[in-house]
Amino acid sequence: MQPDLLSPALAVRTLQHFRQHSPLTHCMTNDVVQSFSANTLLALGASPAMVIEPDEACQFAAIASALLINVGTLTQPRAVAMRAAVERANSAHTPWTLDPVAVGTLDYRREFCLDILNLKPAAIRGNASEILALAGERAGGRGVDTTDAAAAALPAAKRLAVRVGAVVVVSGEIDFVTDGERTLIVAGGDPLMTRVVGTGCALSAAVAAVCALPGSRTENVASACWWMKRAGQRASEICRGPGSFIPAFLDALYQLDQEAIA
Amino acid sequence: MQPDLLSPALAVRTLQHFRQHSPLTHCMTNDVVQSFSANTLLALGASPAMVIEPDEACQFAAIASALLINVGTLTQPRAVAMRAAVERANSAHTPWTLDPVAVGTLDYRREFCLDILNLKPAAIRGNASEILALAGERAGGRGVDTTDAAAAALPAAKRLAVRVGAVVVVSGEIDFVTDGERTLIVAGGDPLMTRVVGTGCALSAAVAAVCALPGSRTENVASACWWMKRAGQRASEICRGPGSFIPAFLDALYQLDQEAIA
Amino acid sequence: MQPDLLSPALAVRTLQHFRQHSPLTHCMTNDVVQSFSANTLLALGASPAMVIEPDEACQFAAIASALLINVGTLTQPRAVAMRAAVERANSAHTPWTLDPVAVGTLDYRREFCLDILNLKPAAIRGNASEILALAGERAGGRGVDTTDAAAAALPAAKRLAVRVGAVVVVSGEIDFVTDGERTLIVAGGDPLMTRVVGTGCALSAAVAAVCALPGSRTENVASACWWMKRAGQRASEICRGPGSFIPAFLDALYQLDQEAIA
C-alpha cells in the first residue's frame, strides 16, 4: 500500500478526544527532557506523572492510562525499574511506548531495548538511525541526531512493526507512521525544532499518551505527530530563535484546536 | 477561629524581608521541577542549592537556612539521603518542609512520608488529596492532581498541624494555611497554573525558604502562597498559553514588590 | 604578562569555526541544569548528549568531541561513571573540562575534584571561591555564589593552570581566562544572569565544547566566555526579568554571528 497523507481534520478530531480523555501518562524518561515532556503533555491536555522507584513504577503502571519508556539517560537501576513497569503495564493492559534514544551508538541501551522489545510495545518512536538500529538492519549515528532520511528507514520500520505488533514512527523532516500494512505521512514542522532539546522525546510522550485512546492506533499516533509538527510550524513563525521557540511551541499546542476551528 | 484573608500589605512586607535575608535553601526535590524550582527561588531573591549525596546532604542541611523534601521522584537512595538530611537539619535547627507529592496513590512514598513526619517538619504543603492521605483520613487521587476541594481538607489539615506542630498548606483554587489554631486564606492565581508542571512544587520551595524567616511562621508561609498566586495572576494576564506563562511568571515574581509599590 | 582584553572579532571568528565543527559534547552535568545546558549548546551550534551509565559513558567519551564533568549534584554512582569516562576520554584524546560547583563548601565533591584533577582536564571553569578552593588556597562560599571577586583569585588560577596544564576560567562580573602565562579578560554580561539557574554551568558546557576546536585553547575558551557575556547582555536589554531572560538568552546565542556581522 502507498503511504497516505494524514488528514488535518482527523488530527484535530483526535485532539478533541484526547483532551476529553486526558490520559494519565506515566513517563519513565530521560533526565534532560522531563520538564519539557511534562509541559508538552499538559499543554495537550494529558496528565503526566514521572514515577521511577521500581515498586512505585509497577504500582503506577497499572493505574496509568499509558506508559512511556525513554532510554536517553538509562542507568542500571532505571533499567530494572523500567522492565518491571513494562511487565506490570502488560498485565494491566496499559499500552506502553518505546523511545530508543541513540540506540545505534551505545551497547548497553541497545541490549536493553532489544530485550524489552519482546514485551511488545504498543508504539515505537525514533529517528531513522534509531529505527534502523532497533530493527537490527544497521547501527548508525554518533549521537541523538539522525544521519538517515526517514524514508530510507521505512521498509525496516514496516518489518519491525509487523514483527513486534507495534505502530512505528520514523520521525524526521517528514514523519512516517506505520503498522506494517498502512503507512501515514505527516509533513510540516521546522528545522528549528532540531535546535531545541527534547522535541523528539516530547513527541514520544505524546505518542505514548495517545495510545490510551480507542480507535485506530495508527491514526491516533499519526495525529500526535501532526500536533507536534503543526505547533512547531506555528511556533517557528512567531519566535526569534530556539529560546523563544519553546514557550511559543507550548502555547501553540495549547491553542491547537481553537486555531483549527478558527 | 474563622479563617482570615491574608493582607496583601503583609505579604509584600514579608517579601521585602525575604529578599534582605536571601535564605540559602537546600532543595531535595523531584527530577522534573528542579530547574523551575531553582528559578522560582532566584526570582524571589533566595539562594537555592540542590545537594543529594547522603554525606553532602547532611553537611549542607546544617549550613543551609532551610531544607525542602519533595518526594515526587523518590527513589531508595534518595530516601536514605533525605532522611539523613532531615535528621541533621533538626539537630542544626534548620527548618524543613515536606511536599508529599502523590502520597495518596503510591505506597512506598506514603510509608516514607508517614515515617519522616515523626521528624517534625516546620511546614507541609500539598493539595487536598495529599493532605488528606498524609493525615491518614483518606487516600485519594490517581496522580498529582487533586480530586478534592481544598476547603474539604481543612479540618484534616488542622488536626495534622496540631499533631505534627507544623504549618500546613492545603493548596488549590484557594490556599488554606493553618497552624491548627489560626487559618489564613489566600485567593488569586489562575487555572493556567495547573497546565504548567511544577507550580505546586515551586510553591513548596518558597514555603521551605520562607520558614527561615523570623516572625509568625503562619503569616510567612501564607505570604509565600500569596506571592505565587499573585505572580500567577499577573502572568496569566499577559501570556498566550502555558508556554509563555512560565517566563511571565518568573518575571512577575521578580517584579512583585516593585509592582506592589506602584 | 599583563592580561589582554579578548578581541570581539576573534570571538566571532571562533564561533563561526565552532558552528562548522559542531562538536559532539558529552555532558555529565548536574540534574538542575541539563536542559538549559543542552539548549545552550544547541543554540551555539554544538551537539550535546547526556550519557551517564558507566559502561555507556566510557563508550561515549571515546566517540565524543569533548567531555564535561560538572559536580553540582554529584552522587557516588555518578562519581564512578565520571571517573571512568574521564579515563577513557584521556586515552581517546577527548579533551575534558571540570566545573567544580560549590567545591569549597562540601567535602565529598572536593575530594572527588582534587582526585580527578590528576587526570588533567583541558579546562576548568569556576567562580572565584571555587577556583581558590580547588587550588587549595582557601575554602570559601556557603553555596554556589561566589564571595570573592574574580580578580582576587587570578594568582591562584594561574598557579592551578600551570600545575594541571589546563586553561582556567575564573568567572564573575569579569571573566579571567588563563593558561598560567597568558591571561585574557572578558567583560560584559549582566547581573540578571545570577538570577537564572545554570548560566555558570552552561558556560562550562560551552567551554567544554570549544576545547574540541584546533587553535589556541586559551583564545577559544575566552571566546566561549565572550559568547555567553554578549548574549547575556543582549538578553538583559530586551527581557522583563529573569523569566523572559532565558528564551532571550538562547535566541541571542543563536543569532550571535548574524548580529556581529550586522
Side-chain angles (χ1 to χ4, degrees), chain B residues 37 118 163 190:
Chain B
S37 299
N118 296 317
R163 177 156 59 89
D190 191 274

PDB file of all heavy atoms in Angstrom, chain B residues 37 118 163 190:
ATOM      1  N   SER B  37      11.996  25.144  40.064  1.00  0.00           N
ATOM      2  CA  SER B  37      12.020  25.486  41.493  1.00  0.00           C
ATOM      3  C   SER B  37      13.196  26.416  41.797  1.00  0.00           C
ATOM      4  O   SER B  37      13.045  27.393  42.542  1.00  0.00           O
ATOM      5  CB  SER B  37      12.144  24.214  42.345  1.00  0.00           C
ATOM      6  OG  SER B  37      11.050  23.363  42.123  1.00  0.00           O
ATOM      7  N   ASN B 118       7.420  12.025  61.677  1.00  0.00           N
ATOM      8  CA  ASN B 118       7.843  11.974  63.084  1.00  0.00           C
ATOM      9  C   ASN B 118       9.027  12.888  63.354  1.00  0.00           C
ATOM     10  O   ASN B 118       9.343  13.173  64.508  1.00  0.00           O
ATOM     11  CB  ASN B 118       8.216  10.535  63.467  1.00  0.00           C
ATOM     12  CG  ASN B 118       7.028   9.606  63.377  1.00  0.00           C
ATOM     13  OD1 ASN B 118       5.936   9.956  63.810  1.00  0.00           O
ATOM     14  ND2 ASN B 118       7.231   8.423  62.795  1.00  0.00           N
ATOM     15  N   ARG B 163      -1.011  17.962  65.451  1.00  0.00           N
ATOM     16  CA  ARG B 163      -0.306  16.723  65.809  1.00  0.00           C
ATOM     17  C   ARG B 163       1.188  16.816  65.530  1.00  0.00           C
ATOM     18  O   ARG B 163       2.013  16.377  66.335  1.00  0.00           O
ATOM     19  CB  ARG B 163      -0.925  15.557  65.009  1.00  0.00           C
ATOM     20  CG  ARG B 163      -0.247  14.222  65.227  1.00  0.00           C
ATOM     21  CD  ARG B 163      -1.168  13.046  64.943  1.00  0.00           C
ATOM     22  NE  ARG B 163      -1.666  13.061  63.572  1.00  0.00           N
ATOM     23  CZ  ARG B 163      -1.045  12.484  62.538  1.00  0.00           C
ATOM     24  NH1 ARG B 163       0.099  11.852  62.710  1.00  0.00           N
ATOM     25  NH2 ARG B 163      -1.565  12.524  61.323  1.00  0.00           N
ATOM     26  N   ASP B 190      -4.543  31.386  38.922  1.00  0.00           N
ATOM     27  CA  ASP B 190      -5.229  31.218  37.646  1.00  0.00           C
ATOM     28  C   ASP B 190      -5.215  29.727  37.288  1.00  0.00           C
ATOM     29  O   ASP B 190      -4.220  29.049  37.555  1.00  0.00           O
ATOM     30  CB  ASP B 190      -4.495  32.022  36.556  1.00  0.00           C
ATOM     31  CG  ASP B 190      -5.312  32.107  35.275  1.00  0.00           C
ATOM     32  OD1 ASP B 190      -5.209  31.163  34.454  1.00  0.00           O
ATOM     33  OD2 ASP B 190      -6.055  33.087  35.110  1.00  0.00           O
TER      34      ASP B 190
END
